[in-house]
Every structure is written in C-alpha cells, then in structure tokens.
Amino acid sequence: MPLFSGRCYSNAKLLGKTAIITGCNTGIGKETVRDFYKRGAKVIMACRNINKAEEAKEDIVQTCKDLPDKGDIVIEKCDLSSLKSVREFSKKILESEPQINILVNNAGVMMCPKELTEDGFELQFGTNHLAHFLLTMLLLPKIKDSTPARIIIVSSRAHTRFNMNLDDINFDKRSYSPFEAYSQSKLANVLFARELANRLKAHNIQGVNTYSLHPGVIKTELGRHLDKILFKGSRRLIGILTYPFMKSPELGAQTTIYCAVDEKCANETGLYYSDCVAINPDPKALNDETAMKLWEKSVELVGLDFDPFTVNAASVKINI
C-alpha cells in the first residue's frame, strides 16, 4: 500500500442525478459505481460483458442493502471495441434518459498483443480513446442540457512515456510496441479532456467541466496480458515488485470520484489529477496543436457527422 493515497472526502449526494460509467464490472470502475449508488445516483453500467456486470451489480446491491438513500443501477451493453456498439448504446441512452450529469470514461485495455478493433483500429487506441471520443460526442448534446455536468476520463501516468504518432496510429509503418501503444492511448485521453474543455469554452457552453486523471497502480485485471507480451510469470513478478506501491480498487477509484463529485474542483476544467489533486501532466499533453490534430483525426476516424456543440439532443440522429 502506498504511503500516501489521496481520498475524496466530499459528502455530496447525487440524488436525482444520472451517471454513466464504462467498463465497470470490476476494479476501480466497480468501486465508482458503488460510490455513486451510495450517494443516490442512477448509475448506468456501460459494459461489454453483461453477465459479469450483473454479478457486480448484485454484489454492490447486497453490500449496500442497509444503507439509506441509495440510487439505482442499470446495466446496458456497450462494447468499446465496436463503434457500432457505442452508437447503439448512445442511441438508447439519448432516447431513454432525460439527463446525463456525470460521464466516466473508465474502461480500458493495457499493453496487449497487437490486435485490431472491429473497425480496424489498433485495439488500445481504438478502445481507450476513439470509442470514448465517439461516446462523449454522441452524448454531449444531452450532457449540455444537464448542467452542472462533469466528464471524467481515466488516463494514466503512462501518458508521459511516448509521443503521439497520428500518422501511424495502427503501427503499420513501425514495429508494434504494446507499451508505446498504451502510452499513446493514455496521452490521447489527457489531450482529449484538455481540448474538449477548450472547445466548450469557445462555444460559450458553461456548466460542463472535463477532467483527466491518473488513478495510481491498482490491483486489478488490467495487466492480464503481461505474460503474453513479456514472458511467462512476468505478471506475477511485476506484481510482487510493485506491491508496495499498489492501491486497492477502492483507493484507486478515489480520484475519479473526487473529479465527479467534490465541490473543490467544481469550477475546474481541462486539468489532470492524481491522488485527488490537480497536477501538471507531461508537457506533451499540454501541446494545443497536437490536441487539435488529434481531435480532427478522431472526428475523421469515428465518422462523426454532426457538430455536438451546436445541436440539441432531440435533433441528434445516430445511424447504426
């Protein structure tokens, strides 16, 4: 356990609020669901594996059964390796939900062997960034109508290690590196949160704030591919070496929760957080030119065909 681990001490309630969390049937995502549920929110679990999501929901409901003022938990299918699935999920949410107050882009894959998404994108960039970019853009018209609202993007300190290569996101022109691909996707997360904040401000949209964050080194299943990309037993070895620095999922969720509910950061936007404190990300993540190019490239790759900053939710037509 780290000597210091930030905690969210806010007692803010989320009664009457709706939150969406991706990839939350385990780890820090599940703990975020638990926290929001205890605060009274309607929490929509956007998950690829419905059976595991049902198990997670049952566990949360049972452990919180004696608490007052609980919210509700709803499970919806959303596979972030498929932009069609993201569109189907978003269409259903826009049609059924009157508001979206909190969006937590939590799901992710880490340092996996080279693989492509259903749409032909390198799996880590496609899942960790592009799918969340599309999800956020499709839901933004509804989020704008639900102020005050917050968009939280779970990144990683790994964003510091490599540059963004927008000319070769699929590693077609260079040797594939699972470490570089992961770092690139996490850098994209920080750049996205920053550029989104800038564009909201440019369109004079107030009350929608964005946050990116490093949750810490967590005891989760995220490192399940390490034995394949390194050597057999490497996951266990790395686990032993990093154990003194690892957080539990409950502690790992604290910065996400802080960015979503705490009053102290209610008027902050576009910043990067670690241990419930805004810190400076790597200089690469502060490059506005790179952020704009990433945005333009992302719009092109996901096929976004409307301006989410100017349209209203009722007029959004999502083609599946």
Side-chain angles (χ1 to χ4, degrees), residues 87-105:
R87 290 188 176 93
E88 289 173 341
F89 169 82
S90 301
K91 186 174 188 295
K92 187 171 185 178
I93 294 300
L94 290 177
E95 292 174 350
S96 62
E97 298 300 324
Q99 61 181 4
I100 304 170
N101 308 103
I102 301 171
L103 172 62
V104 180
N105 292 328

Side-chain angles (χ1 to χ4, degrees), residues 22-134:
T22 65
C24 51
N25 56 41
T26 188
I28 64 175
K30 178 182 175 183
E31 293 306 318
T32 306
V33 174
R34 192 192 310 273
D35 182 274
F36 290 178
Y37 174 65
K38 289 162 66 174
R39 294 175 189 268
K42 177 180 181 179
V43 187
I44 299 172
M45 298 177 66
C47 295
R48 177 179 60 85
N49 190 316
I50 298 299
N51 290 335
K52 288 186 177 181
E54 292 285 1
E55 292 173 5
K57 174 183 175 180
E58 179 63 21
D59 175 68
I60 293 169
V61 170
Q62 286 300 313
T63 58
C64 300
K65 63 182 179 180
D66 296 325
L67 298 178
D69 300 325
K70 298 182 296 294
D72 188 23
I73 298 176
V74 177
I75 296 171
E76 296 291 353
K77 174 82 171 181
C78 185
D79 182 351
L80 293 170
S81 67
S82 164
L83 295 185
K84 178 182 178 183
S85 180
V86 172
R87 290 188 176 93
E88 289 173 341
F89 169 82
S90 301
K91 186 174 188 295
K92 187 171 185 178
I93 294 300
L94 290 177
E95 292 174 350
S96 62
E97 298 300 324
Q99 61 181 4
I100 304 170
N101 308 103
I102 301 171
L103 172 62
V104 180
N105 292 328
N106 168 80
V109 291
M110 182 180 79
M111 292 185 284
C112 54
K114 187 172 184 181
E115 189 176 342
L116 300 180
T117 68
E118 179 180 286
D119 305 279
F121 304 121
E122 187 276 318
L123 184 62
Q124 296 184 83
F125 189 80
T127 300
N128 298 351
H129 169 63
L130 287 177
H132 280 131
F133 177 86
L134 178 61

